[in-house]
Amino acid sequence: SFAIDAAEVLDDAHIFATLQYREVVEHYRQRLQRAPEDHAARVAMARTLVKCGLYDEAVRELLIATQDERVRGRALHELA
């Protein structure tokens, strides 16, 4: 919902304001190396990549995430 998305953006603001996004992306990359089937983490990483302007990489990750029916709806929403 809009309220949840807005709260998430505000909650994440400190990460991006302090340029810690590289660490966040690296955390997700390490997680996905250990558990490539963790598509919820893949969607979360894609959202972070979008916030960093790394759109092509975000799209690649979201397309992979659509293979998992548990997160397919969210991944497709993020691709829209």
Side-chain angles (χ1 to χ4, degrees):
S1 79
F2 175 77
I4 291 171
D5 287 345
E8 183 178 77
V9 168
L10 293 174
D11 188 45
D12 290 346
H14 70 283
I15 294 172
F16 304 105
T18 59
L19 300 178
Q20 293 178 348
Y21 60 85
R22 289 183 187 127
E23 293 175 19
V24 174
V25 170
E26 185 56 32
H27 166 78
Y28 285 124
R29 285 187 176 134
Q30 290 174 5
R31 169 68 183 149
L32 291 169
Q33 282 183 327
R34 292 189 309 273
E37 74 287 348
D38 185 350
H39 296 294
R42 196 172 296 281
V43 171
M45 182 173 84
R47 289 177 57 88
T48 303
L49 291 166
V50 167
K51 292 174 185 178
C52 298
L54 300 171
Y55 305 112
D56 291 341
E57 189 173 350
V59 167
R60 280 192 299 273
E61 296 299 334
L62 289 167
L63 289 172
I64 294 168
T66 63
Q67 299 170 16
D68 183 342
E69 66 184 39
R70 295 170 295 176
V71 298
R72 182 176 297 130
R74 185 65 175 176
L76 290 171
H77 173 77
E78 295 299 329
L79 282 165

